[in-house]
Amino acid sequence: MIEHTVQIPEERIVILDFGSQYTQLIARRIRDLQVYAEIVPYYYPVEDIAKEKPVAIILSGGPSSTYEKNAPHAAAEIFSLNIPILGICYGLYQVVRAFNGSIDRASFKEYGRAMIDIKGSSPLFKGMDRREQVWMSHGDKVVSPPAGFAVVASSENAEIAAIENREKKVYGVQFHPEVYHTVKGNKILGNFLFEVCGLRPSWNMRSFIESSVESIRKEVGDGAVLLGLSGGVDSSVTAVLLQKAIGSRLFCVFVNNGVLRKNEHEQVVERFKKHMKLNLIYVDASARFLKKLKGVENPEKKRRIIGREFIKVFMEEARKIGKFDFLAQGTLYPDVIESVSTKGPSDTIKSHHNRVPEVLKLIKSGRVIEPLKELFKDEVRELGRVLGMPGEIINRQPFPGPGLAIRIIGAVTPERIRILQEADDIVVREIKEAGLYNDLWQIFAVYLPVKSVGVMGDSRTYENVIAIRGVTSVDAMTADWAYLPEPVLRKISNRIINEIKGINRVVYDISSKPPSTIEWE
């Protein structure tokens, strides 16, 4: 069965993941339309999906060609569940294959913007113009639709750009309605949900809070919960939600791992212990973490070391408290999907500190509560707003669990931490001063152990480099580098070079995600 941390609405969409980089966007767009959607791998047992009673199934895109030897395919039984189905790109080919249509390699691969011509009056395109801009990404094509299917859209390079069998409520599109470049993509998905499936928008943060509180109380009973609180958005919202559910039986442990931002430990204690009245336990384990990280350069090793050490600290504090029944984490949906390939055939992008072996063992034992693991970042911010949390917390930019350890390229040393803390503090302060902080998804400094020649006064210097990374994004699945005003960049650069010993050069990162990631490690 599909495992959930909280009670999930009865009306839900199941997305079968065939490995597309856009699969999470499908879920995100559907949730924008106030319908709950969840992702499972394409090979997930049909009988388990049927037990969940989804209202409809969406077949995602994927990087494979239908002609590859080990190409993933949907189980034939999926199409016998008698519920609406929408196939997207590779998912379209699964529909065509299941109903005995024909597919071939395209003469020309098609990537990017394209115009489709809509034919007839398909409910999928209700309320749309006859000609619309979409986003294509495919190397195969549908040669002839299955019997009983009508062609309802075409493009210059894809004569069969969309098909439908209105009687069976099965649809397929060659393009990606979930990406922003498909101008009316949300309209298409909305038509599938409301016109084809007959759903109503009913999933929102207030209903999520109600179901979460009920589910947490039921799971925890009279037990106690230990939460690792970092002071970031995810763990802070988790803390407030848990406090609402179980009150004083929540114990929050804030660990200073030595790679926090400048003065962060003081700010977190002030905010959560004095003002929010949480049961907050502060642990200064900075020396312990830095000893473990000494000489480690591989970013994955850094993540694992920090994740494991956190668990050890938690357990030690738990013994001091006396007894706790559950460990809570602020894990989000992208954390789960990006860490391991259990959601589909997509490659693992990075491991997550909430998914190290020690935590996975606790998860399997049923002793971990992750009330946000079905949510995306912007949904967590909305949840915080509905819970009445202050803007300074819920609008805080993401900060990685391993902290500055993965923003220091190479080995982590006390001197490099000091330099990066000072540089990052200058960056954030100047961005806030310029009124740009809330316009950016993230902006931060990265320490590069790359020596370059400089001139300061009448002397030559041979010092290191600070890179500035600023991006705009909606959900961190994709991100564009942020264009910042020249005076702001100039001031940041001047301050870093003039005020921080050991840095004589500042560079600005102008790469987007993909192909780059937001973080450098």
Side-chain angles (χ1 to χ4, degrees), residues 82-128:
N82 295 318
I83 58 176
I85 291 176
L86 172 63
I88 296 174
C89 197
Y90 189 85
L92 164 67
Y93 307 146
Q94 297 302 299
V95 170
V96 173
R97 181 176 179 272
F99 291 96
N100 300 313
S102 59
I103 308 159
D104 200 354
R105 290 184 176 87
S107 302
F108 300 97
K109 293 183 178 181
E110 188 176 19
Y111 299 103
R113 293 179 177 84
M115 299 300 295
I116 60 168
D117 294 306
I118 296 172
K119 307 171 184 294
S121 58
S122 171
L124 200 63
F125 300 120
K126 182 178 179 180
M128 297 177 64

Side-chain angles (χ1 to χ4, degrees), residues 8 13 16 66 89 112 143 148 235 253 268 277 286 298 300 302 311 326 367 372 380 393 396 401 407 466:
I8 298 301
I13 304 294
L16 294 191
T66 51
C89 197
V143 176
S235 64
V253 177
V268 170
K277 307 300 181 184
S286 53
N298 184 284
E300 287 299 293
K302 292 179 188 178
I311 294 299
F326 298 92
R367 297 185 65 198
L372 308 184
V380 174
I393 296 177
R396 190 183 185 199
R407 291 179 179 174
I466 287 290

Side-chain angles (χ1 to χ4, degrees), residues 164-294:
E164 71 171 14
N165 184 317
R166 208 173 299 188
E167 181 182 353
K168 294 181 180 294
K169 295 186 176 181
V170 178
Y171 296 77
V173 295
Q174 180 66 81
F175 53 89
H176 289 271
E178 70 272 24
V179 304
Y180 286 111
H181 304 298
T182 297
V183 177
K184 293 183 182 174
N186 269 17
K187 177 67 174 173
I188 294 169
L189 292 174
N191 282 339
F192 178 69
L193 298 176
F194 307 127
E195 299 294 329
V196 175
C197 302
L199 292 173
R200 53 188 174 80
S202 59
W203 191 75
N204 54 50
M205 283 304 115
R206 291 195 181 279
S207 65
F208 179 85
I209 291 171
E210 292 172 4
S211 63
S212 295
V213 168
E214 179 184 344
S215 180
I216 291 166
R217 286 173 178 168
K218 182 177 179 181
E219 184 173 3
V220 173
D222 295 328
V225 176
L226 187 67
L227 168 69
L229 181 68
S230 70
V233 179
D234 306 339
S235 64
S236 299
V237 173
T238 301
V240 173
L241 184 61
L242 286 168
Q243 187 183 46
K244 184 178 180 67
I246 61 173
S248 61
R249 287 181 288 120
L250 169 67
F251 295 87
C252 299
V253 177
F254 171 52
V255 179
N256 183 350
N257 58 14
V259 284
L260 301 176
R261 286 174 283 204
K262 184 179 179 180
N263 300 327
E264 187 164 22
H265 65 285
E266 298 169 356
Q267 295 167 2
V268 170
V269 172
E270 177 77 17
R271 179 183 297 134
F272 290 95
K273 190 168 188 176
K274 292 186 177 180
H275 298 306
M276 298 183 69
K277 307 300 181 184
L278 289 175
N279 287 332
L280 183 66
I281 301 160
Y282 171 64
V283 183
D284 185 358
S286 53
R288 174 174 170 174
F289 277 84
L290 295 184
K291 183 178 179 180
K292 291 284 185 180
L293 289 168
K294 186 176 181 180

Side-chain angles (χ1 to χ4, degrees), residues 135-173:
W135 183 263
M136 294 283 193
S137 180
H138 64 98
D140 293 339
K141 67 177 181 179
V142 178
V143 176
S144 60
F149 282 77
V151 177
V152 291
S154 62
S155 72
E156 185 176 346
N157 291 320
E159 186 177 339
I160 301 174
I163 61 174
E164 71 171 14
N165 184 317
R166 208 173 299 188
E167 181 182 353
K168 294 181 180 294
K169 295 186 176 181
V170 178
Y171 296 77
V173 295

Side-chain angles (χ1 to χ4, degrees), residues 382-402:
E382 176 61 22
L383 175 59
R385 279 189 281 271
V386 176
L387 286 168
M389 297 176 65
E392 65 173 334
I393 296 177
I394 60 176
N395 293 327
R396 190 183 185 199
Q397 293 181 0
F399 186 65

